[in-house]
Amino acid sequence: NYNILAAQEQVIAYFLPEAPHEMLLILDEAAHEVVLSMFPKYDQISRTIHVRISHLPLVEEIRALRQLHLNQLIRTAGVVTSSTSILPQLSLVKYDCQKCGCLIGPFTQNQFQEVRPSICPDCQSNGPFDVNMEETLYQNYQKITIQESPGKVAAGRLPRSKDAILLADLVDSCKPGDEVELTGIYTNNYDGSLNTANGFPVFATIILANHITRKDNKMIIADLTDDDIKQMNDLSKDEKISERVMASIAPSIYGHEDIKRGIALALFGGEPKNPGQKHRVRGDINVLLR
């Protein structure tokens, strides 16, 4: 929790958003040392420990991200629209010299370019070098696309989206359709297609995720104020609540009551039933709009 960190360690809290790459590496190493001092055999379970930062004070909208946010720790929110499968990504790489068989490395790979040896320390040749598959370490990799929530987009504007990279234990933490809150490093990488379309030098931007939280019902309930609860209780006593819900769907479109009723029923769903704990009947209905 960034607020707790800011209250106890002001210097770390000051440099963390400004130099997140370096600070997160230091925090990961410190956390690893602390865990090993408490559990000496923890390396048999995992060789790395990742410190996750949550509750940054400012939440930036996706369309508000600019050049001044580059290489800084940011917090944004949106809806996941797509995600790739989980892929192995090179983390620590070792190479074999094809001339003398010397094992070279390890080399720590970064996100945007391959790190390779330039010369063999044993035979002083320039290669060729092949990746040693047995000695190389990998980590999980997944790319997702988050889009602005429909309720936050101004009328007449298209929602904007941004790609985010999930690594290690963050993969599969969300799926398309989830509304998430993402904390990560806003950075840039080379994209040849952008340079072809717009001319060099133009870079694509991406978010290296550090922490991700799904906004589920529990989070929504926790954010409700007393006024919200009072309004909900008042609406629940309204005998014409179904008509009010239908009227609130696409109010600028006249008529089409059956379509609006079907959308309302699909949005709210129903109560799942399981009579006798033998056969579960789902509460959602199928709606066909023609």
Side-chain angles (χ1 to χ4, degrees):
N1 191 315
Y2 182 84
N3 296 320
I4 298 175
L5 182 67
Q8 299 182 358
E9 297 290 343
Q10 291 85 1
V11 176
I12 296 177
Y14 174 78
F15 283 105
L16 182 58
E18 301 296 329
H21 285 285
E22 296 81 2
M23 292 298 298
L24 288 173
L25 284 175
I26 295 171
L27 291 175
D28 289 350
E29 292 174 2
H32 190 243
E33 291 178 3
V34 171
V35 171
L36 286 182
S37 66
M38 300 170 63
F39 307 100
K41 296 184 179 181
Y42 188 81
D43 269 345
Q44 299 177 9
I45 301 174
S46 177
R47 297 185 180 183
T48 58
I49 292 176
H50 301 285
V51 175
R52 305 299 183 193
I53 307 298
S54 65
H55 296 87
L56 277 180
L58 296 178
V59 180
E60 303 287 350
E61 300 294 337
I62 291 178
R63 67 174 57 242
L65 295 176
R66 296 291 185 269
Q67 175 269 336
L68 60 91
H69 296 105
L70 280 175
N71 299 318
Q72 291 190 351
L73 195 66
I74 63 164
R75 177 183 173 192
T76 188
V79 178
V80 180
T81 57
S82 65
S83 65
T84 65
S85 57
I86 299 174
L87 306 171
Q89 185 191 49
L90 296 176
S91 178
L92 289 175
V93 190
K94 291 187 178 182
Y95 293 92
D96 289 325
C97 177
Q98 293 301 300
K99 290 188 176 179
C100 66
C102 177
L103 183 62
I104 310 170
F107 296 92
T108 302
Q109 298 290 333
N110 60 32
Q111 294 296 321
F112 308 118
Q113 64 181 16
E114 183 182 8
V115 179
R116 297 183 64 91
S118 57
I119 191 171
C120 176
D122 193 17
C123 65
Q124 303 299 313
S125 67
N126 294 326
F129 306 104
D130 287 340
V131 176
N132 187 308
M133 297 299 180
E134 291 78 16
E135 297 289 336
T136 295
L137 297 181
Y138 302 87
Q139 64 179 348
N140 293 323
Y141 171 96
Q142 187 180 33
K143 181 186 283 188
I144 64 171
T145 302
I146 60 172
Q147 189 180 73
E148 287 179 301
S149 300
K152 296 182 180 179
V153 181
R157 293 193 175 187
L158 293 175
R160 296 185 183 178
S161 59
K162 189 68 63 179
D163 289 337
I165 293 176
L166 310 183
L167 299 175
D169 56 306
L170 290 180
V171 297
D172 259 0
S173 55
C174 60
K175 62 183 185 299
D178 290 341
E179 189 169 356
V180 298
E181 205 167 73
L182 182 71
T183 303
I185 304 172
Y186 185 62
T187 185
N188 59 340
N189 65 332
Y190 179 80
D191 190 338
S193 60
L194 276 178
N195 284 266
T196 302
N198 301 312
F200 183 81
V202 178
F203 292 88
T205 53
I206 204 165
I207 301 174
L208 298 179
N210 174 263
H211 180 266
I212 189 166
T213 305
R214 285 191 301 174
K215 291 186 176 180
D216 53 10
N217 292 336
K218 292 181 180 178
M219 290 186 62
I220 296 173
I221 292 172
D223 293 337
L224 290 176
T225 63
D226 293 338
D227 290 338
D228 294 333
I229 296 173
K230 183 178 181 302
Q231 289 181 12
M232 291 171 64
N233 289 330
D234 293 341
L235 288 172
S236 67
K237 299 173 184 176
D238 190 346
E239 295 180 355
K240 296 184 177 181
I241 185 62
S242 58
E243 285 77 7
R244 295 184 64 176
V245 171
M246 287 170 46
S248 67
I249 296 175
S252 59
I253 300 176
Y254 178 77
H256 302 289
E257 285 81 7
D258 291 339
I259 295 176
K260 293 182 179 181
R261 184 179 290 107
I263 294 174
L265 292 173
L267 285 173
F268 281 85
E271 186 69 23
K273 301 173 181 62
N274 193 356
Q277 302 298 318
K278 294 180 180 179
H279 178 67
R280 184 179 182 277
V281 180
R282 67 193 185 104
D284 302 318
I285 63 172
N286 296 321
V287 179
L288 174 63
L289 299 180
R290 299 185 61 185

